[in-house]
């Protein structure tokens, strides 16, 4: 009995800790609304459930009402700039000039709502739906009663490149009330004809398939972005290339990052490769091969990202 006593006490204390963990979370609607107000943009990866389907989506939401959804498993992109919506898929590009529903703007659920603690989350609810917030008051899950549920897999807030991502897919900035021609999602061969340089495509992508390319004109410099994704997974890979390194850095927002040995550079196939972050959040590798400068970024493990870079350099 004496031997069992310490174990009984330990289990009792553990049950008290587990039972009280959620009670330490306090519901404060003022703080919740202040946190939401401090967010100018959100981006990341989410599982979207709608109409009986479940898809892995990379998304960007920029206040007040612009957002992008890339359904990597369907080769489908939806972009809304607050005025009109573009849908790109295998059938081409369609323009819809009606206001579309933005499932990422949970601010509407914070009005005239009730809040309570559930497990380790704060739940806010009104007649429109529910949002689950973590201890940092950021959304974990958004459920709309109209039949759409967003489950956050990866979330970043106030990213430096969020607005640029939407502009890139939508096309150039609007001039007055008239939007200029939007960029198209094209094949590698079409993209190469537009940029007029040899695109370095990776031969190894850790199972991600090529979704399409977008060619942009940045201050007179042609920039191509290659998008890769894997069906049924959260893997995402992006390659950005141009002939002007300064333009590349401005587009990708590349920042240095130590590789663990106190250095922000590695050598791959005899080429110096800068290691860092792109757009403030993605693991990124930047290098120049012949006349082409490239940044490779995504959410693959570091060793897989290096393999992607190696396949480009040794191609």
């Amino acid at each position: 009995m004496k031997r069992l006593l310490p174990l009984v006490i330990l289990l009792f204390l553990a049950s008290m800790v587990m039972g009280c963990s959620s009670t330490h979370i306090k519901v404060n609607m003022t703080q919740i609304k202040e946190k939401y107000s401090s967010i100018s943009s959100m981006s990341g990866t989410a599982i979207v459930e709608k109409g009986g389907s479940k898809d892995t989506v990379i998304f960007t939401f920029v206040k007040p009402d612009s957002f992008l959804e890339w359904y990597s498993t369907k080769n489908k992109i939806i972009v809304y700039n607050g005025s009109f919506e573009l849908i790109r898929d295998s059938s081409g590009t369609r323009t819809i000039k009606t206001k579309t529903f933005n499932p990422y703007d949970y601010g509407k659920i914070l009005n005239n709502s009730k809040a309570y603690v559930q497990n380790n989350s704060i739940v806010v609810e009104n007649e429109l739906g529910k949002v689950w917030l973590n201890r940092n008051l950021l959304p974990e899950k958004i459920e709309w009663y109209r039949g759409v549920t967003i489950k956050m897999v990866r979330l970043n807030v106030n990213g430096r490149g969020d607005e640029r991502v939407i502009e890139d897919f939508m096309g150039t900035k609007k001039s007055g009330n008239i939007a200029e021609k939007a960029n198209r999602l094209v094949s590698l061969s079409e993209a190469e004809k537009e940029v007029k340089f040899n695109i370095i495509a990776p031969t190894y992508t850790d199972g991600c398939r090529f979704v399409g390319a977008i060619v942009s004109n940045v201050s007179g410099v042609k920039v191509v972005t290659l998008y890769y994704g894997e069906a049924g997974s959260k893997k995402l890979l992006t390659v950005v290339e141009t002939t002007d390194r300064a333009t590349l850095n401005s587009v990708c927002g590349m920042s240095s990052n130590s590789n663990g040995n106190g250095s922000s550079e590695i050598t791959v196939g005899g080429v110096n490769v800068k290691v860092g972050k792109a757009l403030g959040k993605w693991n990124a590798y930047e290098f120049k091969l012949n006349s082409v400068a490239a940044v490779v970024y995504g959410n693959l493990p570091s060793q897989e990202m290096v393999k992607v870079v190696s396949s480009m350099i040794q191609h």
Side-chain angles (χ1 to χ4, degrees):
M1 183 66 182
K2 290 182 178 179
R3 291 179 180 177
L4 289 176
L5 187 59
L7 179 60
V8 171
I9 294 173
L10 180 62
L11 291 173
F12 175 71
L13 291 173
S15 66
M16 286 183 64
V17 171
M18 293 178 66
C20 294
S21 60
S22 63
T23 61
H24 292 162
I25 303 175
K26 294 183 180 180
V27 176
N28 186 319
M29 283 305 301
T30 299
Q31 290 181 340
I32 291 172
K33 290 181 178 180
E34 285 177 352
K35 183 67 175 182
Y36 173 78
S37 297
S38 72
I39 298 172
S40 60
S41 66
M42 300 191 307
S43 62
T45 309
I47 304 297
V48 177
E49 298 180 30
K50 179 169 53 178
S53 68
K54 182 184 291 187
D55 299 284
T56 300
V57 172
I58 181 170
F59 74 93
T60 301
F61 162 45
V62 178
K63 288 181 178 178
D65 202 21
S66 298
F67 72 94
L68 174 146
E69 293 179 301
W70 171 28
Y71 290 77
S72 59
T73 55
K74 294 181 178 179
N75 193 9
K76 180 179 181 180
I77 296 172
I78 298 173
V79 198
Y80 181 70
N81 68 352
S83 300
F84 66 94
E85 176 182 22
L86 290 180
I87 300 175
R88 296 187 181 92
D89 53 26
S90 56
S91 64
T93 300
R94 303 183 298 280
T95 302
I96 300 175
K97 295 184 178 180
T98 56
K99 184 173 178 60
T100 190
F101 172 62
N102 183 350
Y104 303 96
D105 187 7
Y106 66 94
K108 301 178 181 69
I109 299 177
L110 304 184
N111 297 323
N112 300 317
S113 58
K114 62 178 181 179
Y116 52 91
V117 175
Q118 185 179 82
N119 298 325
N120 288 317
S121 301
I122 296 172
V123 182
V124 183
E125 179 180 7
N126 67 9
E127 71 280 0
L128 299 176
K130 294 182 184 179
V131 57
W132 284 256
L133 306 171
N134 61 21
R135 291 176 181 268
N136 295 320
L137 304 182
L138 293 174
E140 299 175 319
K141 177 181 173 181
I142 307 169
E143 180 183 311
W144 299 94
Y145 292 150
R146 63 195 305 168
V148 180
T149 300
I150 309 291
K151 294 180 180 178
M152 301 296 180
V153 176
R154 172 181 176 144
L155 179 66
N156 299 281
V157 297
N158 300 333
R160 289 182 298 170
D162 289 344
E163 189 169 5
R164 179 176 289 162
V165 168
I166 292 178
E167 289 175 0
D168 188 38
F169 275 86
M170 184 63 77
T172 54
K173 291 183 179 180
K174 291 185 293 181
S175 177
N177 293 322
I178 302 173
E180 298 181 22
K181 184 178 179 181
N183 294 320
R184 296 185 303 122
L185 201 63
V186 299
S187 66
L188 271 174
S189 59
E190 288 178 282
E192 203 160 64
K193 289 178 184 177
E194 289 190 47
V195 296
K196 294 182 173 57
F197 61 78
N198 293 324
I199 295 174
I200 311 169
T203 57
Y204 176 80
T205 59
D206 192 23
C208 296
R209 65 181 179 85
F210 177 65
V211 174
I214 281 185
V215 176
S216 306
N217 192 320
V218 181
S219 300
V221 178
K222 292 289 187 180
V223 178
V224 63
T225 306
L226 315 179
Y227 296 95
Y228 297 82
E230 184 185 40
S233 85
K234 307 176 186 68
K235 292 181 181 178
L236 296 166
L237 177 67
T238 304
V239 179
V240 186
E241 299 179 17
T242 186
T243 54
D244 184 76
R245 208 163 190 171
T247 300
L248 180 72
N249 289 331
S250 69
V251 168
C252 297
M254 186 75 176
S255 60
S256 297
N257 185 44
S258 172
N259 64 8
N261 298 318
S263 172
S264 60
E265 282 194 357
I266 59 175
T267 301
V268 179
V271 175
N272 290 333
V273 179
K274 182 179 177 182
V275 181
K277 294 286 185 183
L279 303 177
K281 54 182 176 284
W282 302 100
N283 293 328
Y285 298 79
E286 186 259 338
F287 62 94
K288 189 169 185 178
L289 193 64
N290 300 322
S291 61
V292 179
V295 167
V296 180
Y297 65 87
N299 61 2
L300 306 184
S302 298
Q303 63 270 24
E304 298 302 323
M305 294 289 286
V306 172
K307 288 180 183 179
V308 173
V309 172
S310 178
S311 76
M312 296 172 68
I313 292 173
Q314 298 175 4
H315 183 59

